[in-house]
Amino acid sequence: MKKRSRLLSALLTLVMLLSLVPALGTTAMAYDDIKLYLHIGDNAFDAPEVKAAISEMTNGKATGLGIYKSGKITSGPYYDIGDNYWYAVRSSSTDEDIVSNKGLAKSPGEVAITIDKIYGQSCGIASDTKLKDRFVMKVYVISDPIYHVDIDGVKIPKIGASMDDGYYGSPDDTGVTTSTEGAEVVETVWLEVNNGTTRICDYNETFGKNLYYADIYVKPSHCYLFEGPWDMSANVNGLMCRDVLGVESEDGWLRVRASFDLRNGDLEVDNVSITGLDAPTHGKAADYTASANHPDFQVGTIQYTMFNKVLDSYVGSKGDNITIKVNVLAQNGYLFPEKPTAIWNGIPSVSAELSSARNFCTFAFPYSVGAEDSAILKNLSFTVAAPAIGKAPAASVTAPQGVTVESVAWTPADTAFKEGVSYTVKIGFRADSTHILADDFLNTGTVTINDQSTQLTKPTTGGIKDKFLTTCYASYTFLPLRAEEQPVSPDQPNPFTDVKESDYFYSPVLWAVEKEITNGTSATTFSPANTCTRAQIITFLWRASGSPEPGITCSFLDVPAGSYYEKAVVWATEQGMVEGDKFYPNDPCTRLMAVEFMWIQSGKPGAPAASFTDVNSPAVDWAVEAGVTNGTSATTFSPDSTCTRGQIVTFLWRAFGK
């Protein structure tokens, strides 16, 4: 074994094996096989402080004579100190207190002396007249035993690396040290395990794809000693080592074995991927579980911080700029490189706090919390019982998922709706705790009440963007109530489950079905909220006019022959509603299209100009004057807003059904 014989010789010059009592500090000393060690240095037996200690401990009744060897007293120093070498003491007294060593045990680190009066061969030394009535002294140091050793700096092996390159040998060669007081690393020796056979490697070998053991030899120093191997534990590079192979019987060294498995590659992992950690999203409790991309990496605690403050039980809120800290422990000999990096959700870590042992690292990831599409509110649709003469205004509305309604107010605040009065409903709402309004919702979002576009009102405080939403408001003004527009009772039960008597389109839907202008989308549904297409409204108008046979052929390239809307489109061409070679039958019908088609069918009547800022159209002027529809606010008509089936049949009913 490289350099071990030289190191062992040097160690033996500093130690003396002794028989000692099983417990220090007792009043009587019994011999046992426990071996302790003394680091005494050159010629320490003749040092004045040792002689003074002998005199003090024996109350001045003993004097040091020197080393006794082979029947004679010989002046030191002696380097090879074994069981046959004793320190002779002359005593001027046979005081039993001296012989029994009563009171001689001192506190840890102080010199103490065991003295035995020689009677024949009582101490294993032949009777010698030169030692008659003299005492044999055994010197030891009382120290707390060492139970645990921390070893640092063991270089992690890499395949192809030479063991002579900082792996094998003394601390001067390897840099392996221990921070444990009273312990000193002697050398590091590598062993290879191949097919169950273990052999000691030579210092100039290279690592291959095998299992390796690093045996680190540690000696006690400065008068310390190790406990037995069953009571010892050790850490290597900060990791608990499974194998503490014991205290060597000859010299008291401790042998600690660390395992490094290179059968699957090197033990240093350059990049770490954090998986299984869900990104925080608005309104959801943050995830606190994760794993790493290596079986020997264990993810520990996960912290969410903002402005350097830990957020306990964090729930995501859109717009939060947070830092996610993930603690990762490397096990079974694996280590992080000097500058580790990690990736999570494609985001590289911005910092990595690496422990001195390189087996524990805290990775930090920046993250700006967003919201899932399902949690972002972009288009909101409220339904409220439409005004009806004599009925009380509705105190509640049906709101879309993700919205909390906070108020419903009617203007004028009558206890019952009156004929000829135009009523405005104002709904105060906000997103609930798990949803969020879309960015710039005031300008980009849409809100409808009873399928009619509404006017949004900013809250009095705060904003309506992101998580800072306070209550905001949407309002809609109904047309003045007329007695002839009261909901009618059908001759037959209403077949549609999605059309209720309280709906504004209740009477128009039943009228349209009765007049065979349209049917439901199934036997039990009308789908009033579905978008109405250009093909559908032209067909509705054609049927409302009695489904006349057209006198020309179809000229539109995108209108298939025999389609349900072919005759209607040709009829609309005759009426001057549409022209060109394409009709675009599947495009949605807008509010402006709808009133223009009906205005043309009504003969293009004149009407006073409406006061809308977003449209200038005689068709719109007529629609407002005729009560077909109103604006979406006092100043806007929203001509490009799409129409639903419920809206279109309502327009038709108001224009042609009464």
Side-chain angles (χ1 to χ4, degrees), residues 428-451:
F429 67 92
R430 63 182 300 165
D432 63 21
S433 60
T434 60
H435 290 76
I436 195 76
L437 289 184
D439 290 344
D440 198 18
F441 182 78
L442 181 64
N443 296 313
T444 62
T446 61
V447 178
T448 62
I449 297 177
N450 290 5
D451 289 333

Side-chain angles (χ1 to χ4, degrees), residues 139 181 337 435 466 518 543 561 573 586 630 635:
V139 183
E181 183 180 359
H435 290 76
D466 297 341
T518 183
R543 291 171 181 169
T573 304
N586 296 319
N630 208 345
T635 59

